[in-house]
Amino acid sequence: MKSFLDALETKIIEDYRQDKEVKKGKVEGYYPSKASVKLFSGEVVGECLRKLYYEYTKEPESDPIPLKALYKFGMGKAIHVWFLNMLGKFVETEVEVKFKEEGLSKEIRGRMDGTNKDSILEFKTTWGMGFNIAELPKREHILQARIYQKLTHLVTGIWKRIELVYLARDSANRASYQIEDTNHTELTYDNAVSRWKELDTSLQTKSIPERDFKEKSWQCRYCAFRGTCWNGN
């Protein structure tokens, strides 16, 4: 007879797989949370184009996310829901924004955590050991928020300020950052669009993009397509 924990963990894995299948059928646009830019130095900030290519072409995962990571994702999601519920008492939450950029085959679309008449807020959870003030705010989060900022401006004509809020899931340490336009000047909407155009071309020509990261990087070590990428191509 299975223990309650065994039954729970079986359910967690089943739900994850079902959720992945549902999302495979709903890859309809380009998403700010999975944006990337290539810096002048050649370094990539954000998602690997090859990983995104596999997702859009519905490639089966060769390296599914381990159970421990699913627990962490679940805790982060629960805190996120609670935070947005509290935030919703005084600002609008989970606001969808989308725009059809010229030269892209798909809409750019996303959902802002919070917004009011002059601000955009993005909320991120992290683990205590990773709560290093020197590493915050993370560049990929700045990029995501700036894309929301630009999309909002394109749709409404309003240029809103950005705030990023971080919460450690284990210690409840918090940090808040106001993102200035003069910082991280390469993390821009236009540079993200350029990357999406590269992905567009790869999808249309069925040509797999080059890898953006080295095999021993954390991006590759935790990628669900690691085996396919490094052993299959």
Side-chain angles (χ1 to χ4, degrees):
M1 179 179 176
K2 277 189 174 183
S3 69
F4 286 117
L5 180 61
D6 288 338
L8 171 65
E9 294 185 344
T10 298
K11 183 60 176 173
I12 290 172
I13 294 171
E14 287 177 354
D15 284 357
Y16 165 73
R17 289 172 178 169
Q18 289 174 5
D19 185 55
K20 292 294 289 186
E21 287 303 312
V22 170
K23 287 181 177 178
K24 276 185 180 180
K26 293 184 176 180
V27 183
E28 301 170 341
Y30 289 134
Y31 303 100
S33 60
K34 294 192 172 186
S36 66
V37 298
K38 180 171 281 190
L39 307 181
F40 294 132
S41 65
E43 179 188 3
V44 170
V45 174
E47 288 285 332
C48 172
L49 285 193
R50 179 174 285 206
K51 177 185 176 184
L52 291 177
Y53 178 88
Y54 288 141
E55 290 182 354
Y56 281 98
T57 56
K58 300 178 173 58
E59 178 74 25
E61 293 182 352
S62 58
D63 301 80
I65 295 175
L67 182 60
K68 187 174 182 179
L70 293 179
Y71 268 106
K72 289 183 178 181
F73 289 156
M75 287 187 283
K77 184 176 181 180
I79 294 171
H80 204 99
V81 169
W82 169 80
F83 181 86
L84 292 188
N85 181 56
M86 297 301 296
L87 190 67
K89 298 179 185 297
F90 55 93
V91 300
E92 193 174 3
T93 60
E94 296 189 284
V95 179
E96 185 178 36
V97 60
K98 54 187 177 181
F99 183 77
K100 182 63 172 64
E101 180 69 45
E102 184 177 355
L104 286 179
S105 64
K106 305 176 190 297
E107 275 188 323
I108 303 171
R109 57 197 311 172
R111 197 174 293 274
M112 297 180 287
D113 286 337
T115 185
N116 59 20
K117 64 180 182 179
D118 57 12
S119 303
I120 293 169
L121 181 140
E122 276 299 299
F123 174 66
K124 304 294 181 184
T125 63
T126 185
W127 200 249
M129 292 298 291
F131 200 88
N132 185 340
I133 296 297
E135 297 177 356
L136 297 177
K138 292 186 178 294
R139 292 178 297 173
E140 57 267 31
H141 298 158
I142 295 173
L143 176 63
Q144 178 185 356
R146 279 188 173 159
I147 294 172
Y148 288 146
Q149 182 184 52
K150 179 66 173 184
L151 292 177
T152 300
H153 182 255
L154 289 170
V155 173
T156 68
I158 301 172
W159 191 261
K160 298 186 178 185
R161 72 179 184 89
I162 300 170
E163 183 172 346
L164 286 172
V165 174
Y166 289 86
L167 172 66
R169 294 191 293 273
D170 58 340
S171 64
N173 286 336
R174 290 92 65 202
S176 175
Y177 301 89
Q178 309 237 345
I179 308 303
E180 303 295 336
D181 294 342
T182 53
N183 296 333
H184 300 286
T185 55
E186 294 180 74
L187 304 179
T188 66
Y189 172 86
D190 288 341
N191 287 343
V193 168
S194 295
R195 290 274 288 176
W196 279 321
K197 287 181 178 179
E198 287 183 44
L199 179 57
D200 243 6
T201 299
S202 292
L203 291 170
Q204 290 165 10
T205 60
K206 298 182 179 180
S207 55
I208 301 176
E210 293 295 319
R211 301 180 185 93
D212 284 322
F213 302 101
K214 297 184 182 298
E215 188 173 7
K216 292 184 179 180
S217 67
W218 70 263
Q219 291 92 341
C220 288
R221 284 189 286 113
Y222 293 104
C223 179
F225 303 101
R226 178 188 175 101
T228 299
C229 178
W230 288 99
N231 300 325
N233 297 289

